[in-house]
């Protein structure tokens, strides 16, 4: 299950200074809750994204604590005010210690 | 006085129902679906000749869904099925079998298969049978690629591949041939469609022809069109094949379903697909 974990982000290419832009993110991930049992009757170990963060030019935009109730392939959408051109950096923290990252540039006129 | 008001209210309600069409009390028709702002999808159209008098309009399942579900399908980033399409694309480009060929070795790219979804199931002269897209994939794997263990008919890999083939064909008009050598299978499919199955003694037609738009438990019955398959079902959090859906319906009648990939389901798929001739290929669609 661990394969095929791919983050995706969508941010507008450009915006005007002070604009509020919509940021959409999606990561393919099983989000195994740790509460389900497999066909052998044993619990399937929990493996979820437990934290999601987004920064813009180093400043935190969102920092989300994620719990097992969140479904497969978690999708986050939020808004961010942009004052200058820069880079959104996204991180997803996996229970198994992996951190998946992605970035997106935005040009502010 | 009270009586009069009540009567007045009932009369108004009857007028409203008639105006909206039978069974369409709370379904909103007339909206258009454009995917990614560029692919125009036909979701309502005139019925094929053999359904004249049965339907005034054939509706894609999209019409019966909520605004939120409809919106998910209008943008590939929001359509969860596109994750599986991506996996299908990876498989498409990966060599498999003893011949060392990938799908892309012969077909260049998935876009070259854009016309496939709209015309399948289709008569295959070499095999003397109706073939679905799934059967065609298996044929390629076993007869041309040297794959010892082809994808299972309803496996995740198969659904990914079929979703890819459907996705590149979105916007094309469903046009399944029902005459000539396909006529026998089509007739068989039609018979299955109108046969009542299970302890509940339900045929496809009783729900999807006579009661579409009405509630079945908390959900609206659609016309049972298959132009949106493989479909991402929110309840499964995965894409679902046509035959899997058929099996689910027959199971819900408390009947014994035909096997996935069986000639009966292939015939039924042909018949049901032909009922949607004129709609656009929508797969992978998003449904409840």
């Amino acid at each position: 299950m661990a394969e095929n974990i791919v983050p995706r982000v969508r941010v507008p290419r450009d915006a005007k200074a002070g604009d509020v832009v919509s940021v959409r993110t999606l990561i393919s991930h099983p989000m195994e809750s740790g509460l389900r049992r497999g066909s052998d009757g044993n619990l399937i170990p929990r493996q979820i994204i437990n934290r999601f963060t987004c920064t813009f030019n180093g400043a935190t935009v969102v920092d989300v604590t994620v719990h097992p109730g969140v479904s497969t392939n978690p999708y986050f959408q939020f808004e961010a005010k942009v004052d200058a051109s820069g880079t959104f950096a996204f991180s997803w923290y996996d229970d198994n210690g992996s951190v998946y990252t992605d970035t997106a540039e935005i040009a502010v006129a | 006085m009270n009586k009069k008001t009540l009567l007045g209210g009932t009369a108004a309600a009857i007028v409203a129902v008639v105006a909206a069409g039978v069974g369409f009390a709370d379904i909103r028709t007339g909206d258009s679906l454009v995917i990614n702002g560029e692919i125009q999808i036909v979701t309502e159209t005139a019925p094929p000749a053999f359904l004249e008098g049965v339907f005034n309009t054939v509706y894609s399942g999209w019409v019966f869904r909520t605004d939120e579900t409809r919106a998910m399908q209008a943008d590939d980033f929001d359509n969860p099925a596109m994750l599986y399409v991506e996996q299908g694309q990876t498989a498409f480009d990966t060599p498999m079998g003893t011949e060392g060929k990938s799908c892309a070795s012969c077909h260049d790219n998935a876009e070259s298969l854009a016309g496939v979804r709209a015309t399948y199931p289709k008569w295959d002269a070499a095999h003397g049978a109706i073939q679905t897209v799934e059967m065609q994939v298996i044929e390629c794997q076993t007869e041309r690629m040297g794959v010892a263990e082809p994808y299972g008919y309803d496996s995740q890999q198969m659904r990914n591949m079929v979703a890819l083939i459907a996705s590149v064909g979105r916007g094309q008009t469903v046009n399944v041939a029902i005459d000539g050598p396909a006529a026998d299978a089509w007739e068989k499919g039609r018979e299955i469609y109108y046969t009542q199955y299970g302890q509940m003694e339900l045929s496809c037609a009783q729900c999807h022809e006579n009661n579409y738009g009405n509630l079945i438990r908390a959900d609206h019955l659609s016309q049972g069109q298959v132009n949106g398959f493989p479909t991402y079902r929110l309840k499964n959090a995965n894409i679902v094949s046509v035959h899997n859906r058929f099996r689910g319906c027959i199971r819900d009648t408390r009947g014994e379903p035909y096997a996935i990939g069986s000639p009966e389901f292939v015939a039924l798929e042909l018949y049901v697909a032909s009922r949607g001739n004129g709609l656009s290929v929508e797969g992978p669609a998003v449904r409840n």
Side-chain angles (χ1 to χ4, degrees):
Chain A
M1 287 294 269
E3 74 275 22
N4 293 327
I5 296 176
V6 185
R8 302 158 180 83
V9 299
R10 192 168 284 185
V11 174
R13 251 184 236 106
D14 40 48
K16 291 197 195 73
D19 272 2
V20 174
V21 298
S22 180
V23 178
R24 295 187 285 169
T25 74
L26 171 68
I27 186 164
S28 46
H29 193 282
M31 295 294 282
E32 190 58 60
S33 69
L35 301 170
R36 299 197 309 158
R37 289 179 191 278
S39 49
D40 59 359
N42 294 321
L43 283 175
I44 304 169
R46 176 180 130 158
Q47 193 203 342
I48 67 166
I49 299 288
N50 56 49
R51 183 182 175 211
F52 166 70
T53 65
C54 169
T55 63
F56 183 61
N57 291 340
T60 299
V61 179
V62 290
D63 189 338
V64 185
T65 305
V66 186
H67 291 279
V70 174
S71 304
T72 308
N73 306 332
Y75 177 106
F76 293 102
Q77 179 172 0
F78 49 90
E79 292 180 333
K81 193 174 162 200
V82 288
D83 293 320
S85 298
T87 307
F88 283 99
F90 307 87
S91 302
W92 292 260
Y93 296 81
D94 195 305
D95 273 348
N96 68 9
S98 309
V99 180
Y100 316 103
T101 59
D102 202 352
T103 58
E105 308 283 333
I106 186 166
V108 173
Chain B
M1 190 65 181
N2 261 343
K3 209 168 195 178
K4 242 182 186 169
T5 319
L6 268 177
L7 275 173
T10 314
I14 289 169
V15 170
V17 167
V18 170
V22 178
F24 261 73
D26 52 354
I27 298 289
R28 197 176 69 246
T29 60
D31 293 342
S32 56
L33 169 61
V34 181
I35 296 174
N36 298 333
E38 56 184 27
I39 309 173
Q40 298 280 345
I41 301 289
V42 175
T43 56
E44 305 178 14
T45 190
F50 68 92
L51 286 180
E52 268 165 28
V54 176
F55 290 148
N56 291 322
T57 309
V58 294
Y59 295 99
S60 158
W62 181 82
V63 173
F64 298 86
R65 300 280 68 93
T66 61
D67 289 350
E68 295 81 358
T69 310
R70 288 176 171 202
M72 286 175 92
Q73 205 186 316
D75 186 330
D76 280 355
F77 193 86
D78 292 339
N79 183 343
M82 297 315 284
L83 297 174
Y84 299 98
V85 170
E86 279 179 29
Q87 291 174 28
Q89 181 67 59
T90 306
F92 191 89
D93 295 326
T94 307
M96 50 183 115
T98 52
E99 300 291 314
K101 289 197 276 194
S102 70
C103 305
S105 308
C106 295
H107 297 294
D108 293 336
N109 51 43
E111 284 71 23
S112 69
L113 299 171
V116 170
R117 181 68 264 185
T119 56
Y120 274 72
K122 186 177 179 177
W123 175 256
D124 185 310
H127 291 81
I130 296 289
Q131 294 239 98
T132 60
V133 177
E134 284 90 344
M135 292 159 82
Q136 195 65 52
V137 171
I138 293 171
E139 179 193 315
C140 275
Q141 286 185 314
T142 54
E143 295 178 20
R144 288 184 271 284
M145 300 166 87
V147 177
E149 285 187 27
Y151 293 159
Y153 196 98
D154 195 33
S155 63
Q156 183 75 56
Q157 292 156 310
M158 179 63 89
R159 284 178 279 142
N160 294 347
M161 187 61 75
V162 177
L164 171 69
I165 293 167
S167 73
V168 295
R170 286 180 296 177
Q172 305 244 0
T173 305
V174 176
N175 185 18
V176 174
I178 63 174
D179 49 4
D184 284 350
W186 184 82
E187 193 57 45
K188 183 175 164 191
R190 197 176 76 93
E191 193 186 316
I192 293 173
Y193 192 88
Y194 288 101
T195 301
Q196 292 169 262
Y197 287 95
Q199 287 181 320
M200 314 275 266
E201 292 189 15
L202 283 170
S203 72
C204 307
Q206 282 171 299
C207 285
H208 296 290
E209 187 171 289
N210 303 338
N211 279 296
Y212 67 90
N214 289 335
L215 286 170
I216 182 165
R217 297 195 291 186
D219 198 7
H220 286 109
L221 281 166
S222 73
Q223 286 184 346
Q225 301 291 354
V226 295
N227 59 315
F229 278 85
T231 286
Y232 185 88
R233 295 196 72 197
L234 297 164
K235 65 172 255 186
N236 296 76
N238 206 323
I239 48 176
V240 171
S241 68
V242 180
H243 289 200
N244 193 306
R245 194 69 198 84
F246 288 163
R247 187 178 65 179
C249 267
I250 296 190
R251 181 202 58 212
D252 290 349
T253 70
R254 300 186 189 163
E256 181 76 37
Y258 295 113
I260 284 175
S262 63
E264 288 82 5
F265 271 172
V266 171
L268 183 60
E269 182 179 345
L270 171 67
Y271 175 70
V272 174
S274 74
R275 289 172 71 95
N277 274 352
L279 294 171
S280 298
V281 173
E282 256 180 60
V286 184
R287 303 285 188 259
N288 292 15

